[in-house]
Amino acid sequence: MKDKMIIGRYLPYDSYIHRLDPRAKLLATIFYIVIIFFANNLTTYFVMALIVLLGIHLSNIPVDQFIRGVKPMFWLFVFTSVLQMIFTPGITTYFEFGIISISKEGITNGILVFLRFVLIIFMSILMTLTTEALRLTDAIEYFLTPFKKMGLPVADLALMLSIGMRFVPTLMDEAEKIMDAQRARGMDFNDGTVTEKIQNLVPLLVPLFNRSFDRAIELATAMEARDYQGGDGRSKYRELKWSIHDTFVLGSFAIFFVIVLNLRR
Amino acid sequence: MDIQFKNVSYTYEAGTPIQHTALNNLNLTIKPHKFTAIIGKTGSGKSTLVQHLNALLKPTEGVVRIGNRSITPTTGNTQLKALRKMVGTVFQFPEAQLFGQTIAEDIMFGPKNYGVKPDEALAIAERTLKMVGLDASYLERSPFDLSGGQQRRVAIAGVLALEPEILVLDEPTAGLDPKGQHELMQLFSRLNTEMGTTIILVTHQMEQVAEYADDVIVMEEGTVAKQASPREIFSDSDILANNYLNVPRTVAFSNELAKAYGWNLSDMPLTTDDLAVDLMRYFKAKKEARYEG
Ligand SMILES: Nc1ncnc2c1ncn2[C@@H]1O[C@H](COP(=O)(O)OP(=O)(O)O)[C@@H](O)[C@H]1O
Ligand SMILES: [Mg+2]
């Protein structure tokens, strides 16, 4: 199961992308998603795909890791694209039946929607595979800091977020162990009808929640025992450092944006 | 049912930079109806090894044979359910798997997965609960209200309810009080001698190895460093030192006697009873020697 879950994982290679500041990667990813909504023809999508491929190449991570990340959602994407295909009215219609119409425009649109999903997922996976969860939280905390003046408890939010992130792998491990133990008692999680499949989750979720509550209480006790008084004014173990490369990457995205604006229909 | 590992390798997270080969071209045979102990330092691959016995992990290379069944890297998941009924597995800290609203429900879970009827499953639950030392009054209680040690017993009962031919135990007594540890070990030993259940026990406690095991497997960096009787293992000081293993208290005691006073007992005392007998024999021989001399 852990092997399949690629989203939320970090692969500790050493690469240009790994070394970028998490703030730069977060901004670049958001920027990318914004730009892709401006892309509306094959040429612009080609440019967007090139950007991701360049990123993947620079990250030293094998492409199959990304493909594995898309796999769980593959059919959902196909389904959405097919809906786009048959419900988009077009000029050059090949086939029509009631509200269903298959046209040249519809097919192009469907393919583009599919590509958009895949590219956004690839880009997000590129960010999470190359950035430790805690560094990402640091970046989020940084961007939230201006809201402190409005009374937002930024330090506490960041702590909650980083604790949450910190325990994702722990929970995954735990889930895997519990599933193993129930499988060893003859459970087949993929067996049966939809209702049975949902019932099958009980032997997994009950122990998982039970352990999570225990863990939360233990953690709170441990923090109080060390006299934790809230996060305001605490210094950081790892400071974020913005470098010329980060500026360069964001600058490149600005150029990509201009290119896409010029090439779009 | 013989258990056989042929050139078995297992790699976690294969194809990523964090990949780790936990079993490395491993070969071994485990005899049926015997009590086999698996020892070795933390990270030597003991847990990975035992998870191959019911195919929760499939080898990345090589073959695992359980009786006439073979598990290879390409074995499909559909063939595994029957295997998992034959091989019961108690994981480290098994109390983490409890989920039932009542203890009865939790223990009946396994048998029901194999199509046993509810009333029959309930009878099994009552019987196995008794085996782990809890009476029928516990059946209707919530497993979450019990102490850690009692939860452990219920979880073990949940595995025994499958009535497995092979019982795999991964550090089943870790964290229990001495009395609880002793009672559980007695139970496993009885299953072995009275019902002929093959027992495979992963443990860090050499006293348990000395007292109960017929055969010992020493794991070292994903391979078998040595497989032999407890007596042979505990006389092999190289193997022990290489793997940071100690000898059972009684063996340590007799070694100290030899070193401090030059008392050389005729036999290696694996249990306290052994030690008493050996000491008696030693004094008797000494006395006789004095009369003759
Ligand atoms: N789920 C896992 N993912 C990656 N590596 C693992 C996993 N489980 C165990 N390992 C690694 O495999 C090796 C053997 O582990 P394990 O079989 O648990 O050893 P033992 O039970 O003897 O302590 C260890 O180095 C451990 O870090
Ligand atoms: Mg272990």
Side-chain angles (χ1 to χ4, degrees):
Chain A
M1 173 167 146
K2 210 168 60 179
D3 279 354
K4 286 187 214 128
M5 281 294 296
I6 204 77
I7 292 170
R9 277 184 73 204
Y10 167 70
L11 288 180
Y13 287 86
D14 182 30
S15 79
Y16 185 78
I17 308 277
H18 282 75
R19 284 190 296 267
L20 289 176
D21 189 294
R23 289 170 295 184
K25 281 187 267 192
L26 189 59
L27 283 181
T29 308
I30 295 170
F31 206 4
Y32 183 88
I33 295 171
V34 172
I35 301 175
I36 208 166
F37 280 96
F38 283 91
N40 60 1
N41 58 6
L42 283 176
T43 331
T44 41
Y45 269 90
F46 183 71
V47 174
M48 296 313 286
L50 271 187
I51 299 174
V52 170
L53 289 179
L54 181 68
I56 292 177
H57 177 72
L58 286 177
S59 74
N60 288 343
I61 295 173
V63 182
D64 58 320
Q65 294 287 338
F66 293 84
I67 294 171
R68 263 167 47 187
V70 175
K71 253 187 199 161
M73 287 164 287
F74 183 78
W75 290 112
L76 181 69
F77 294 170
V78 169
F79 180 68
T80 323
S81 315
V82 168
L83 283 189
Q84 280 284 338
M85 261 182 213
I86 55 182
F87 290 122
T88 310
I91 303 155
T92 340
T93 311
Y94 300 128
F95 174 80
E96 211 171 85
F97 179 79
I99 49 165
I100 294 173
S101 80
I102 295 184
S103 64
K104 189 169 169 225
E105 290 74 17
I107 291 176
T108 324
N109 208 1
I111 293 174
L112 292 187
V113 166
F114 181 78
L115 274 179
R116 183 188 295 162
F117 275 131
V118 171
L119 289 177
I120 289 177
I121 294 291
F122 269 30
M123 192 67 187
S124 320
I125 293 177
L126 181 63
M127 175 179 71
T128 52
L129 281 185
T130 60
T131 319
E132 284 168 279
L134 286 180
R135 306 287 286 159
L136 220 45
T137 346
D138 285 347
I140 294 170
E141 182 179 5
Y142 177 86
F143 290 123
L144 287 180
T145 310
F147 298 100
K148 227 184 221 168
K149 290 202 187 75
M150 294 162 55
L152 196 71
V154 172
D156 291 340
L157 279 179
L159 179 75
M160 275 157 62
L161 201 57
S162 54
I163 289 177
M165 297 258 208
R166 157 66 188 77
F167 279 100
V168 168
T170 314
L171 273 180
M172 302 276 290
D173 279 351
E174 199 109 305
E176 202 172 11
K177 274 193 192 134
I178 295 167
M179 282 171 84
D180 274 354
Q182 310 301 29
R183 274 198 201 106
R185 295 205 274 168
M187 161 115 241
D188 190 344
F189 283 95
N190 297 322
D191 223 14
T193 62
V194 176
T195 351
E196 278 169 339
K197 270 188 192 157
I198 292 170
Q199 282 169 356
N200 281 351
L201 290 178
V202 173
L204 169 65
L205 291 183
V206 172
L208 200 57
F209 273 101
N210 196 37
R211 281 296 296 141
S212 306
F213 284 121
D214 285 353
R215 226 184 256 292
I217 294 168
E218 278 164 22
L219 183 67
T221 313
M223 285 170 70
E224 270 171 19
R226 289 174 209 181
D227 206 17
Y228 179 82
Q229 309 253 348
D232 270 326
R234 285 171 75 90
S235 58
K236 283 240 175 312
Y237 174 55
R238 289 178 303 190
E239 299 281 347
L240 297 172
K241 272 209 194 71
W242 190 269
S243 80
I244 181 82
H245 296 290
D246 301 307
T247 316
F248 175 71
V249 166
L250 285 187
S252 316
F253 270 80
I255 295 170
F256 295 144
F257 192 24
V258 174
I259 294 175
V260 167
L261 284 181
N262 277 299
L263 290 179
R264 74 195 289 261
R265 199 161 6 106
Chain B
M1 234 179 327
D2 261 33
I3 298 169
Q4 217 179 29
F5 281 59
K6 266 233 162 82
N7 305 322
V8 171
S9 296
Y10 186 82
T11 306
Y12 284 105
E13 316 262 353
T16 71
I18 44 177
Q19 74 171 11
H20 182 95
T21 301
L23 296 184
N24 196 353
N25 201 8
L26 175 142
N27 286 288
L28 61 80
T29 304
I30 296 174
K31 296 244 168 53
H33 314 299
K34 294 273 190 231
F35 197 124
T36 302
I38 301 178
I39 57 180
K41 63 171 189 253
T42 304
S44 57
K46 304 181 296 293
S47 297
T48 310
L49 169 66
V50 297
Q51 284 179 59
H52 280 78
L53 294 171
N54 62 359
L56 280 174
L57 297 178
K58 284 177 245 172
T60 341
E61 269 171 68
V63 191
V64 177
R65 287 212 182 81
I66 318 273
N68 52 15
R69 276 165 214 277
S70 297
I71 307 157
T72 64
T74 53
T75 304
N77 287 326
T78 47
Q79 305 157 41
L80 302 178
K81 199 166 168 180
L83 175 74
R84 289 181 184 152
K85 165 128 179 58
M86 286 187 325
V87 185
T89 305
V90 176
F91 288 91
Q92 277 172 281
F93 303 104
E95 51 275 24
Q97 76 196 36
L98 297 175
F99 71 94
Q101 288 187 358
T102 65
I103 290 173
E105 183 191 337
D106 208 288
I107 302 178
M108 285 156 69
F109 176 69
K112 275 183 165 170
N113 280 334
Y114 286 100
V116 174
K117 304 231 162 43
D119 48 344
E120 207 174 317
L122 186 64
I124 295 178
E126 194 172 337
R127 198 164 66 232
T128 47
L129 199 57
K130 203 165 149 199
M131 283 164 78
V132 298
L134 297 173
D135 60 58
S137 71
Y138 281 90
L139 282 173
E140 289 309 311
R141 287 177 59 176
S142 161
F144 299 109
D145 294 340
L146 303 180
S147 75
Q150 287 172 323
Q151 285 186 347
R152 177 85 52 100
R153 284 159 195 260
V154 172
I156 291 174
V159 174
L160 294 182
L162 296 170
E163 306 181 313
E165 286 173 54
I166 300 171
L167 183 61
V168 179
L169 304 152
D170 197 347
E171 303 186 28
T173 60
L176 294 186
D177 59 55
K179 181 162 169 283
Q181 295 195 8
H182 180 73
E183 284 170 5
L184 280 181
M185 288 308 297
Q186 287 294 323
L187 165 67
F188 303 142
S189 173
R190 271 203 315 279
L191 285 171
N192 178 240
T193 51
E194 287 168 20
M195 329 236 311
T197 310
T198 307
I199 305 273
I200 297 163
L201 169 79
V202 176
T203 184
H204 286 294
Q205 277 165 285
M206 297 306 131
E207 285 75 25
Q208 293 179 348
V209 177
E211 190 164 350
Y212 299 101
D214 302 310
D215 199 25
V216 187
I217 294 169
V218 182
M219 288 292 293
E220 184 178 356
E221 290 180 11
T223 53
V224 176
K226 182 164 179 149
Q227 182 171 13
S229 70
R231 221 165 269 282
E232 268 176 82
I233 298 285
F234 293 130
S235 348
D236 189 336
S237 47
D238 288 340
I239 275 281
L240 296 174
N242 281 343
N243 293 285
Y244 305 99
L245 298 167
N246 50 4
V247 293
R249 277 183 316 236
T250 48
V251 177
F253 184 75
S254 93
N255 290 348
E256 285 296 313
L257 280 181
K259 214 162 66 190
Y261 302 108
W263 295 7
N264 288 307
L265 304 186
S266 54
D267 231 358
M268 177 186 284
L270 288 182
T271 62
T272 13
D273 287 353
D274 280 0
L275 180 63
V277 171
D278 286 350
L279 277 174
M280 225 144 67
R281 235 188 250 140
Y282 178 80
F283 289 130
K284 215 160 145 192
K286 215 171 171 181
K287 213 154 136 194
E288 274 161 18
R290 200 155 46 219
Y291 282 130
E292 276 160 26

